[in-house]
Every structure is written in structure tokens, then in C-alpha cells.
Amino acid sequence: MPPVEVALLTLPGPWGPYLVAATERGVVAADWAVTEEAVVAGLRRRLGPVELTQDGAAAEVLAAAAPRLQAMLDGKPVRAKTIPIDLADRPRFDQAVLGAVQAIGWGETASYGAIARRIGAPRASRAVGGALGRNPISLVIPCHRVIAADGTIGGYGGDGWIDRDHQLARKDALLRREGVTVERRPGEERRGEERRG
């Protein structure tokens, strides 16, 4: 199998550097404050052999998406669907969930159950949460817009590198940037240091 060409770009973001990887089909990975080595290792686990490139189709996709990605990071409304993504390696269920989430507009939210219904699996709200926890394209696929059925914040960040409280604080801050206020469940406190933007 020939290696998959991947272009990388790091953009400044409100919670540290935001590293984005793209193939010729679209953005394939994006996350906050991760190393290039970690992203490449993750892509190799997902895609097999990977060849980094600074030109070619992957670099063109990334260059075209960069202004919209930076606008998102700057807290400006951007239709996430205008940024091409590459989820070809993901299971079909995850692709359906992540596609439905990418369609949630700026300043809007949907519950895990609503996403399950949108993809034709009305009893799969917990599985929707699992798919969101595996989202390889943070922010572009706006998982922060998915909340619990009771209107509280729900979860965020899968098994990311920061603790649950910081993850929820980031989700809260992202929603507030969009003019959305969502309460935490009783007993969960907000952390002030993550409320930027």
C-alpha cells in the first residue's frame, strides 16, 4: 500500500496551538496542544503508512481550509460543513454521527438522542456519545454543541490529554463564544481559567 500523503499545519488558538492534518480528501485530524509526533503516530495507526508533504493535493486542501480554521479559532461563525473532512477510515456509524454533528450550526445545540434520531438509530444515544469521544477532528466537527437530553452540558473530550473538569470547562467556553449558556449538572463546578474567548 502506498503511503497516504498528509500535510500538517499549526495555528494559534485560545487554548494553545491547534494542530491540523489533511489528506487530499480533507482534514483528517485536528486537536489542541498536541505534538506533531503524536498526531503522525495516531495517523499511522489509523491510516497505515503516512508521508508528510508540504506540497501537492493534501497541502492545497489544508491551505484552502486554513482561513476558515483560523476564523473558527478566533471565535467567528464559520459553517463547519464548508471545511472538507476525511473520515474514510472511521466506522460507518461514526461517520454518520460525525457528519450529523458537523451540520449543527453556530450557536445551536443538539442532544445525543437527537443526533441518534437524525442518523436513524433512535435508541443509540450512548453509542453517539462513544462516537463523539472518538472524534479525530476537534472543533471542525463541533462536538461541543452536543449536550445532554436534560439540557445540561454532558461530556466532552473522549480520552483526551486533560482531565474531565478542564474538558468540560473548554466545552462551556466554546459554547459561550457562540452565545450559548448550558448549565452543568449539580455538583460540577466551572473552572475559570478555561473560560477564554
Side-chain angles (χ1 to χ4, degrees):
M1 170 188 339
V4 176
E5 288 193 0
V6 173
L8 298 175
L9 175 66
T10 300
L11 297 168
W15 295 278
Y18 181 72
L19 198 139
V20 185
T23 67
E24 66 183 353
R25 291 184 297 276
V27 174
V28 70
D31 209 349
W32 307 96
V34 292
T35 66
E36 186 175 305
E37 293 78 20
V39 169
V40 171
L43 289 172
R44 287 189 173 126
R45 282 190 301 276
R46 286 176 51 198
L47 308 175
V50 169
E51 181 179 319
L52 297 181
T53 182
Q54 294 182 354
D55 54 7
E60 290 172 10
V61 165
L62 200 51
R68 286 171 285 173
L69 291 166
Q70 189 62 62
M72 288 177 106
L73 291 166
D74 292 343
K76 297 177 180 149
V78 174
R79 284 190 48 231
K81 279 283 195 185
T82 65
I83 298 173
I85 60 173
D86 180 0
L87 295 172
D89 70 300
R90 309 315 298 158
R92 244 186 284 177
F93 181 81
D94 287 16
Q95 289 179 24
V97 168
L98 298 175
V101 171
Q102 192 184 22
I104 301 170
W106 176 272
E108 299 174 1
T109 60
S111 70
Y112 297 92
I115 297 299
R117 289 187 294 279
R118 287 179 193 174
I119 65 166
R123 299 175 56 90
S125 58
R126 289 184 69 106
V128 165
L132 296 179
R134 294 184 294 273
N135 175 13
I137 310 174
S138 174
L139 192 62
V140 176
I141 298 175
C143 293
H144 64 279
R145 296 179 185 153
V146 182
I147 61 172
D150 65 2
T152 59
I153 201 162
Y156 188 64
D159 40 332
W161 57 272
I162 58 175
D163 65 70
R164 176 178 163 73
D165 194 49
H166 280 89
Q167 290 170 332
L168 291 176
R170 179 175 297 154
K171 180 175 183 172
D172 181 57
L174 286 165
L175 287 168
R176 286 175 183 268
R177 284 167 48 133
E178 297 180 21
V180 176
T181 302
V182 178
E183 293 302 316
R184 289 211 184 175
R185 290 189 172 115
E188 292 183 339
E189 299 175 8
R190 284 197 171 95
R191 284 192 178 254
E193 69 257 25
E194 283 286 334
R195 289 162 128 214
R196 299 184 198 168

